[in-house]
């Protein structure tokens, strides 16, 4: 199963992929806001009253009053940094870049942080919030342009806002390219789902009982409800209300299943209907949780032009080289009882025709009884006992397959091939004891060794077909990131929701979003 080139998505963290799909143009930043939230578009006396009141309450910013108010004087608009009920993308970028500026002291940082912390109760008025961000802009610009030609803050703001994408604007300001694109894409999806939550259009799909899988050409009242749901989610361009499973619905179902990581076919099983029936409020929470996860992504990724990334909930791996995705593969991971750990590491060795030293826990819990009941069990499984340990010899039936990838870690987790290729046909792929089983393991090895001329295709094939383990130490270690994202936006701007296989969303929800449902 292939979701939607998953990590084109994570790479939209935009360290290496320079697209920012569906970013609104500058004009979208000038939407009217409610009169009570406007800073300008008032009489001069109103403006003076607003500004005097603000800088009296935020006295540490009073020395920046002239610069801050100049940002509004040439605009007959309300908020600069807000779009409807949310901080816009430019406001979010300003916040991220200001936090990363060395030695920048931010007055009232607690209040500003609350604007970007979904778990905080924010009691700021829109006017105060907007002017605090304008003050932050002045402070940030003073610091970042200290050694450059003096420009008015208003002129620089025009430059900042007149670029057609966030990426262009921030490149103009600092040119560090360190943007968490995926964060803003999730933020845009969050706005859409919040609007859907407030509407009365989302209704549970009521199925006919007993449930029967829905297939093309079927007729059912459930089909008409599915059609409406896919229309609301954007997988269908129109809602014909038809209860006939036609070609149009087939295309919508396929789009829905691919972006959400389901097996790409036209069959609608009961589990798919259950997923469609997850309340919008839960989807909103999921988006917010994954925005928090993006914030915690390792900054090391910024400096790597080669790495492997595995996302557990979507069961996918990507390999990036020279800043480009060169391979995408399905994986299966640890069961809920033997979870795959979420961490970063470095691949330092590739092992061909590996032995598999069976962990003692597996020997005790699984093999001991089989060996006792069948004296030939070890021989039949190509296993042997060496120094008191059970190990499986190299070969096509070895549980590690033909190749494994080592990255030292305390959990003793690694990636490897597998002879059990049929397991990749399942939608929920939690079959291992913790290690990551890679469907395209051989192709991954070939791609990783492309810069090692001694490792020709013929040599790799021979090493994989051997009866003796062959370990090769990489001269340049390859970073690996094992992540846990249950929602991501793909390169087409389509949101995907994946199975919370280890129930980590519930854990994070309790930690980060105690009032997320409000």
């Amino acid at each position: 199963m292939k979701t939607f080139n998953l990590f084109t998505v994570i790479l939209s963290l935009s360290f290496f992929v320079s697209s920012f799909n569906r970013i609104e143009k500058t004009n979208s930043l000038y939407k009217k806001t409610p009169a009570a939230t406007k800073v300008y578009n008032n009489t001069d006396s109103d403006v003076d009253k607003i500004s005097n009141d603000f800088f009296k309450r935020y006295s540490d910013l009073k020395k920046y009053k002239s610069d801050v108010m100049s940002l509004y004087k040439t605009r007959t608009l309300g908020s600069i940094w807000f779009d409807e009920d949310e901080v816009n993308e430019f406001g979010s970028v300003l916040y991220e870049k200001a936090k990363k500026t060395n030695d920048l002291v931010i007055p009232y940082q607690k209040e500003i942080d609350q604007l970007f912390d979904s778990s905080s109760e924010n009691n700021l008025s829109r006017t105060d919030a907007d002017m605090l961000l304008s003050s932050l802009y002045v402070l940030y610009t003073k610091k970042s342009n200290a050694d450059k030609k003096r420009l008015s803050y208003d002129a620089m703001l025009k430059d900042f806002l007149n670029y057609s994408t966030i990426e262009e604007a921030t490149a103009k300001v600092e040119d560090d390219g360190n943007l968490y694109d995926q964060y803003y894409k999730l933020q845009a999806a969050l706005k859409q789902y919040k609007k859907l939550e407030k509407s009365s259009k989302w209704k549970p799909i009521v199925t006919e009982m007993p449930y029967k899988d829905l297939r093309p050409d079927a007729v059912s009242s459930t089909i008409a409800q599915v059609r409406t749901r896919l229309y609301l989610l954007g997988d269908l361009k129109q809602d014909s209300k038809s209860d006939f499973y036609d070609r149009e619905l087939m295309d919508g179902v396929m789009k829905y299943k691919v972006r959400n990581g389901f097996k790409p076919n036209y069959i609608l099983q009961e589990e798919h209907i259950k997923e469609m029936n997850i309340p919008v409020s839960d989807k909103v929470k999921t988006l917010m949780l994954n925005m928090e996860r993006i914030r915690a992504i390792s900054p090391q990724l910024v400096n790597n032009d080669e790495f492997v990334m595995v996302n557990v909930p979507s069961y996918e791996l990507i390999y990036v080289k020279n800043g480009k995705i060169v391979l995408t593969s399905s994986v299966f991971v640890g069961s809920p009882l033997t979870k795959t750990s979420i961490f970063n590491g470095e691949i330092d060795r590739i092992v061909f025709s590996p032995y598999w030293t069976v962990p003692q826990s597996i020997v005790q819990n699984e093999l001991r009884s089989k060996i006792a009941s069948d004296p030939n069990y070890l021989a039949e499984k190509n296993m042997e006992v060496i120094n008191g340990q059970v190990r499986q010899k190299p070969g096509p039936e070895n549980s590690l397959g033909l190749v494994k990838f080592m990255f030292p870690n305390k959990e003793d987790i690694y990636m490897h091939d597998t002879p059990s290729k049929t397991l990749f046909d399942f939608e929920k792929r939690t079959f291992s004891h913790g290690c990551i089983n890679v469907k395209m393991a051989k192709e991954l090895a070939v791609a990783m060794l492309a810069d090692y001329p001694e490792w020709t295709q013929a040599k790799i094939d021979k090493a994989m077909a051997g009866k003796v383990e062959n370990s090769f130490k990489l001269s340049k270690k390859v970073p690996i990131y094992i992540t846990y994202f249950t929602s991501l936006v793909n390169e087409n701007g389509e949101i995907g929701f994946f199975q919370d296989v280890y129930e980590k969303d519930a854990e994070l929800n309790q930690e980060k979003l105690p009032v997320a449902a409000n």
Side-chain angles (χ1 to χ4, degrees):
M1 177 201 68
K2 187 175 181 180
T3 59
F4 50 78
N5 205 358
L6 153 76
F7 285 106
T8 299
V9 173
I10 292 231
L11 284 185
S12 288
L13 293 170
S14 219
F15 305 136
F16 304 108
V17 176
S18 62
S19 65
F20 193 81
N21 297 319
R22 300 187 180 181
I23 291 295
E24 297 185 6
K25 302 291 184 179
T26 303
N27 289 341
S28 69
L29 302 175
Y30 296 101
K31 294 181 180 178
K32 297 287 185 179
T33 53
T37 70
K38 291 183 178 180
V39 178
Y40 271 86
N41 235 358
N42 296 287
T43 65
D44 289 343
S45 60
D46 289 335
V47 170
D48 290 339
K49 183 179 179 180
I50 291 171
S51 63
N52 290 338
D53 178 62
F54 175 83
F55 288 105
K56 181 178 180 180
R57 286 182 289 108
Y58 298 95
S59 57
D60 290 349
L61 298 173
K62 194 169 184 178
K63 58 185 175 182
Y64 307 113
K65 179 178 179 180
S66 175
D67 293 315
V68 170
M69 298 313 294
S70 74
L71 299 177
Y72 297 96
K73 285 183 179 177
T74 59
R75 292 173 171 77
T76 56
L77 58 98
S79 298
I80 295 175
W81 306 104
F82 281 79
D83 181 7
E84 297 181 355
D85 295 329
E86 305 284 344
V87 177
N88 61 39
E89 289 87 355
F90 286 96
S92 297
V93 169
L94 169 64
Y95 175 70
E96 293 294 339
K97 297 183 81 63
K99 287 198 305 179
K100 294 169 187 169
T101 301
N102 292 332
D103 303 322
L104 178 61
V105 178
I106 303 176
Y108 306 103
Q109 181 161 356
K110 180 179 178 181
E111 287 82 353
I112 293 174
D113 286 343
Q114 287 178 346
L115 298 175
F116 301 89
D117 186 351
S118 55
S119 66
S120 296
E121 290 191 32
N122 175 21
N123 298 318
L124 291 175
S125 69
R126 176 68 61 78
T127 301
D128 281 4
D130 203 76
M131 293 181 71
L132 279 171
L133 289 178
S134 290
S135 300
L136 178 62
Y137 174 79
V138 169
L139 287 165
Y140 168 74
T141 309
K142 275 181 175 289
K143 185 72 176 178
S144 61
N145 290 281
D147 299 322
K148 299 178 183 179
K149 182 179 179 180
R150 170 72 175 175
L151 293 174
S152 72
Y153 298 109
D154 186 59
M156 286 187 281
L157 184 65
K158 285 180 180 178
D159 260 354
F160 193 70
L161 297 182
N162 281 335
Y163 279 81
S164 60
T165 70
I166 295 294
E167 189 165 76
E168 291 176 8
T170 51
K172 175 70 176 178
V173 175
E174 192 174 312
D175 194 30
D176 67 1
N178 184 11
L179 286 179
Y180 287 23
D181 223 22
Q182 184 65 209
Y183 179 89
Y184 304 115
K185 289 184 177 184
L186 288 173
Q187 187 180 61
L190 179 63
K191 291 180 183 179
Q192 297 172 1
Y193 274 78
K194 281 185 174 180
K195 289 180 181 178
L196 191 56
E197 182 182 19
K198 292 177 182 178
S199 75
S200 59
K201 298 178 181 179
W202 189 279
K203 299 176 182 178
I205 297 172
V206 180
T207 61
E208 299 175 359
M209 299 300 291
Y211 185 85
K212 294 182 179 180
D213 290 350
L214 299 175
R215 301 170 184 268
D217 294 335
V219 177
S220 168
S221 61
T222 304
I223 289 173
Q225 298 175 73
V226 168
R227 191 184 299 274
T228 298
R229 179 58 44 82
L230 295 184
Y231 168 70
L232 291 175
L233 293 174
D235 297 305
L236 287 175
K237 293 182 179 179
Q238 61 180 359
D239 181 7
S240 68
K241 311 293 184 182
S242 171
D243 61 0
F244 175 65
Y245 196 153
D246 55 13
R247 177 77 250 181
E248 181 182 48
L249 185 59
M250 289 169 63
D251 293 340
V253 167
M254 182 62 75
K255 184 176 179 181
Y256 171 83
K257 295 186 80 172
V258 168
R259 69 180 174 83
N260 287 295
F262 292 114
K263 192 172 181 177
N265 59 34
Y266 300 119
I267 303 171
L268 283 173
Q269 299 175 326
E270 191 170 15
E271 64 183 283
H272 303 134
I273 304 300
K274 288 181 179 178
E275 201 284 335
M276 290 183 186
N277 273 337
I278 293 175
V280 184
S281 58
D282 288 0
K283 298 288 188 183
V284 167
K285 289 180 183 179
T286 298
L287 290 166
M288 296 169 73
L289 290 170
N290 284 280
M291 289 169 69
E292 292 293 331
R293 290 184 175 119
I294 294 293
R295 286 182 181 277
I297 199 75
S298 172
Q300 295 174 348
L301 192 59
V302 178
N303 301 317
N304 296 327
D305 64 352
E306 181 182 17
F307 60 88
V308 170
M309 190 177 286
V310 177
N311 190 46
V312 169
S314 55
Y315 311 112
E316 281 199 300
L317 166 153
I318 63 157
Y319 172 50
V320 169
K321 196 167 188 175
N322 298 322
K324 297 180 180 179
I325 299 173
V326 297
L327 182 138
T328 303
S329 175
S330 297
V331 301
F332 64 80
V333 296
S335 71
L337 293 177
T338 54
K339 300 174 183 177
T340 296
S341 299
I342 310 304
F343 67 98
N344 304 335
E346 291 184 317
I347 300 172
D348 64 355
R349 282 179 295 146
I350 299 178
V351 182
F352 298 103
S353 299
Y355 282 98
W356 178 43
T357 300
V358 185
Q360 281 301 115
S361 59
I362 297 178
V363 173
Q364 294 289 340
N365 299 328
E366 300 178 30
L367 295 189
R368 185 177 292 277
S369 60
K370 294 178 181 179
I371 295 171
S373 60
D374 182 2
N376 296 319
Y377 181 83
L378 290 180
E380 291 170 355
K381 297 298 181 181
N382 200 27
M383 290 181 174
E384 61 185 4
V385 179
I386 300 294
N387 298 325
Q389 288 188 309
V390 178
R391 72 175 186 178
Q392 190 175 33
K393 302 174 186 178
E397 298 305 315
N398 185 286
S399 294
L400 305 186
L402 304 178
V403 60
K404 68 177 180 179
F405 306 84
M406 304 299 292
F407 39 99
N409 58 87
K410 62 182 181 181
E411 288 85 4
D412 196 26
I413 288 173
Y414 45 90
M415 294 193 305
H416 60 83
D417 184 27
T418 176
S420 305
K421 301 297 185 184
T422 57
L423 294 179
F424 293 107
D425 293 332
F426 288 80
E427 287 185 341
K428 186 175 182 179
R429 300 197 291 275
T430 53
F431 304 116
S432 81
H433 289 85
C435 288
I436 300 162
N437 291 240
V438 183
K439 184 176 183 179
M440 299 178 65
K442 178 178 180 179
E443 292 84 350
L444 178 60
V446 170
M448 291 181 68
L449 294 174
D451 293 336
Y452 297 83
E454 69 273 27
W455 281 98
T456 63
Q457 183 67 59
K459 183 176 179 178
I460 292 174
D461 290 341
K462 183 178 180 180
M464 287 186 176
K467 294 184 179 180
V468 177
E469 186 175 273
N470 187 343
S471 180
F472 176 69
K473 186 175 182 179
L474 299 173
S475 60
K476 178 185 177 184
K477 297 178 182 179
V478 178
I480 179 169
Y481 299 86
I482 305 174
T483 63
Y484 197 93
F485 292 102
T486 52
S487 64
L488 291 168
V489 180
N490 69 12
E491 68 274 19
N492 297 319
E494 299 164 345
I495 183 67
F497 292 93
F498 311 114
Q499 302 169 38
D500 184 15
V501 290
Y502 297 155
E503 298 184 349
K504 289 183 176 291
D505 277 6
E507 297 173 11
L508 186 59
N509 188 43
Q510 292 177 355
E511 295 175 13
K512 296 287 187 180
L513 302 174
V515 294
N518 295 334

